[in-house]
Every structure is written in structure tokens, then in C-alpha cells.
Amino acid sequence: MKTVAITGAPAITLRDMTREGLKSLQDQGVKYVALDDEAREILRSWSARPAPAAQPASDSELSTPEQKIAYLRERAQNWPAARRLGTLREKMVFSVGDVHARLVLVGEAPGYDEERLGEPFVGKAGQKLNEILRAMGLRREQIYITNICKFRPSMGDNQGTANRAPTPEEIAACLPIVQAELRAIRPACIVCLGATAAHGLLGGEGSVGSLRGVWHRLADHLPVRVTYHPSYLLRNESLSARRAVWEDMLAVMEMLELPISEKQRGYFSPR
């Protein structure tokens, strides 16, 4: 199957990300969006004048993935759509890895360990993910890892180490940032780790079991694979669960044209 690189404008602006976010909601079947007076005024001002032809590098013409990701990281910290919800915690956890990576992994949201250390997938699930990558012959430094929600979902003042999955509203608020990340990196393929990431990026519903095992496509034809979140393997250590994840990773390795040994092909197979 031919891989088609992700497309998008080289400039990443607040206007672009807002448009992308509204388009994503439309693709998910949302027909009406509530706007306050301030939002209406901003949209009117954008429709009344064309986008400026030139902006400072910090706001518009960003020529390299490094510049684009740095710009998005800065924007995400005080992203208005996420901050207005009041249901996400203060610290932003953005991404980690190679901005030139051919493989992007998308998880759901930061947890306690990720918030504490400021990096995605650093707790027990992150250790399991590292094991999977090593089995593929990869290191974290060679790929790009991000989350569909950039902030740890709040559970109140006494949250402690407890975590929860982000709501659809929290995902929608952060989705324009994630989509802009993908446009900046232009990977060869994406892996959604868990149903939350899959629903946020691809839209729709369905369990991981019903979504995995096949290639999905974003609107720009970027191939996406869905597999179980590493935390699932911490709860379910059965051979069948591990083999299911590994089959998805083998498909990714084939897509990326990575070398696969017979030993690798046989990992977690029934004896």
C-alpha cells in the first residue's frame, strides 16, 4: 500500500488551528457550536479581512519541524479552548521524540507520572511501551510521542495519583494542536494507543478490538493503526493480548519497511 504524506499549509497560526478544529467537529457530525460574544467578534474580524501575507517567524512562517513544534508547544501552554473548560489541570505535557520521525504514537492524556515529569509515557505504561519499541528494534528517541489531550484531566482538589480519561469536550479542545503537530511532522504512519486516542483522531466509536487489525486513513490519507494502550497489557498479560498488540506492531514495521526477523514474527505466538 502506498503511503501518502500528510498535507497542510506550512504556516501554523491560531486562525489555522481554529479552522482545523471546527472542520474536525464538522467531520464528527457536529452541526452547531455555541459561541460567546468574544468568539463571535474574533470570527467576524477574520472573515472581514484576508489572512496576512507575512507574519513574524514566531507567529506564521515556520520553515522547519523544529520551529513548528516549538511554536505549538508555546501555544498549547495557554490554549484558550482547553483553559476555558476548567476541567483540565494546569501543567501542560506536550510531546517527546524526533520531530523528523516517520512514526508517531498518539496516547490519551498525561497521568500522574507524566504530569510530574513533564513527558508522555514515563510511568508503568511508558515502560511497557519502551519494551514494545525495543522488540521492534526502535528507541523512543527515534519516534515522536504525543497525547490527544495535552493536560491531565482533573478530578478535584484531592486527586492525588488518580487519573481519568479525557472527555470528548477535552479532546476536542486540544485536537487542533495535535492535528497541527501531525502537519508539522508529516510522518509515514500513526499508531493510536487505545480507544480514546482513536476516537479523538479518527472520529466515530468502537472498541479497540473492533478497530485494530486494519489500516485506517485520516482525511489526508495518512495511514493510522489502532492498538491497545500499553496499560491494557499491564492489566491483561495473556498471550493473546500480547500477540494482538504485536501483530499491529508488525504491520507498522512492514509499513515503515523496517527489517523483521523470523524470531520477531514469532513473538507471542501460541506454541
Side-chain angles (χ1 to χ4, degrees), residues 256-267:
L256 297 175
E257 299 182 342
L258 297 177
I260 305 175
S261 68
E262 288 305 310
K263 181 179 179 180
Q264 285 174 307
R265 288 194 184 277
Y267 285 167

Side-chain angles (χ1 to χ4, degrees), residues 46-110:
W46 286 348
S47 63
R49 65 178 188 275
Q55 292 284 340
S58 61
D59 189 43
S60 180
E61 293 297 335
L62 306 169
S63 61
T64 69
E66 289 87 353
Q67 290 173 328
K68 294 173 183 179
I69 295 301
Y71 173 79
L72 289 169
R73 185 186 299 269
E74 180 181 356
R75 286 286 189 181
Q77 180 60 56
N78 295 299
W79 187 236
R83 293 302 188 191
R84 273 198 301 268
L85 293 175
T87 59
L88 297 170
R89 289 170 62 89
E90 182 68 21
K91 185 174 180 178
M92 186 269 296
V93 179
F94 194 73
S95 66
V96 67
D98 184 2
V99 298
H100 298 277
R102 298 180 66 226
L103 172 61
V104 170
L105 304 184
V106 182
E108 63 173 34

Side-chain angles (χ1 to χ4, degrees), residues 108-130:
E108 63 173 34
Y112 170 78
D113 291 311
E114 288 74 22
E115 183 184 58
R116 180 170 59 89
L117 297 176
E119 183 176 316
F121 284 95
V122 292
K124 291 182 178 179
Q127 294 170 19
K128 179 61 69 175
L129 178 60
N130 292 343

Side-chain angles (χ1 to χ4, degrees), residues 246-258:
W246 186 241
E247 286 175 354
D248 292 323
M249 294 302 110
L250 286 174
V252 170
M253 293 173 71
E254 290 173 349
M255 171 67 71
L256 297 175
E257 299 182 342
L258 297 177

Side-chain angles (χ1 to χ4, degrees), residues 128-139:
K128 179 61 69 175
L129 178 60
N130 292 343
E131 292 176 10
I132 295 170
L133 292 174
R134 282 195 295 270
M136 298 172 68
L138 296 172
R139 303 186 311 276

Side-chain angles (χ1 to χ4, degrees), residues 11-249:
I12 301 174
T13 66
L14 180 61
R15 184 174 178 176
D16 293 332
M17 288 188 285
T18 301
R19 184 186 300 110
E20 191 71 37
L22 292 173
K23 182 179 182 300
S24 174
L25 290 174
Q26 184 182 46
D27 292 342
Q28 296 174 45
V30 177
K31 296 183 178 179
Y32 302 99
V33 177
L35 299 175
D36 57 22
D37 291 340
E38 181 182 7
R40 289 193 187 91
E41 188 60 34
I42 291 172
L43 292 175
R44 287 194 193 99
S45 69
W46 286 348
S47 63
R49 65 178 188 275
Q55 292 284 340
S58 61
D59 189 43
S60 180
E61 293 297 335
L62 306 169
S63 61
T64 69
E66 289 87 353
Q67 290 173 328
K68 294 173 183 179
I69 295 301
Y71 173 79
L72 289 169
R73 185 186 299 269
E74 180 181 356
R75 286 286 189 181
Q77 180 60 56
N78 295 299
W79 187 236
R83 293 302 188 191
R84 273 198 301 268
L85 293 175
T87 59
L88 297 170
R89 289 170 62 89
E90 182 68 21
K91 185 174 180 178
M92 186 269 296
V93 179
F94 194 73
S95 66
V96 67
D98 184 2
V99 298
H100 298 277
R102 298 180 66 226
L103 172 61
V104 170
L105 304 184
V106 182
E108 63 173 34
Y112 170 78
D113 291 311
E114 288 74 22
E115 183 184 58
R116 180 170 59 89
L117 297 176
E119 183 176 316
F121 284 95
V122 292
K124 291 182 178 179
Q127 294 170 19
K128 179 61 69 175
L129 178 60
N130 292 343
E131 292 176 10
I132 295 170
L133 292 174
R134 282 195 295 270
M136 298 172 68
L138 296 172
R139 303 186 311 276
R140 283 174 69 98
E141 295 80 11
Q142 294 176 287
I143 64 172
Y144 185 87
I145 307 174
T146 190
N147 279 317
I148 203 75
C149 182
K150 296 301 184 183
F151 302 83
R152 183 183 175 202
S154 176
M155 298 175 69
D157 294 337
N158 299 316
Q159 183 165 352
T161 60
N163 300 312
R164 68 169 175 83
T167 65
E169 292 76 19
E170 291 164 346
I171 292 170
C174 295
L175 188 58
I177 295 285
V178 179
Q179 292 167 329
E181 284 179 89
L182 298 177
R183 291 200 305 274
I185 295 170
R186 298 173 180 265
C189 68
I190 298 169
V191 174
C192 289
L193 299 170
T196 300
H199 297 163
L201 197 60
L202 298 172
E205 300 177 349
S207 66
V208 173
S210 67
L211 295 171
R212 63 161 298 275
V214 297
W215 285 104
H216 303 268
R217 298 280 185 169
L218 292 180
D220 46 25
H221 307 296
L222 180 64
V224 180
R225 199 80 174 188
V226 178
T227 195
Y228 293 102
H229 194 280
S231 61
Y232 173 79
L233 297 181
L234 297 176
R235 302 189 303 270
N236 183 354
E237 297 184 354
S238 69
L239 188 64
S240 61
R242 287 182 288 173
R243 180 62 190 181
V245 172
W246 186 241
E247 286 175 354
D248 292 323
M249 294 302 110

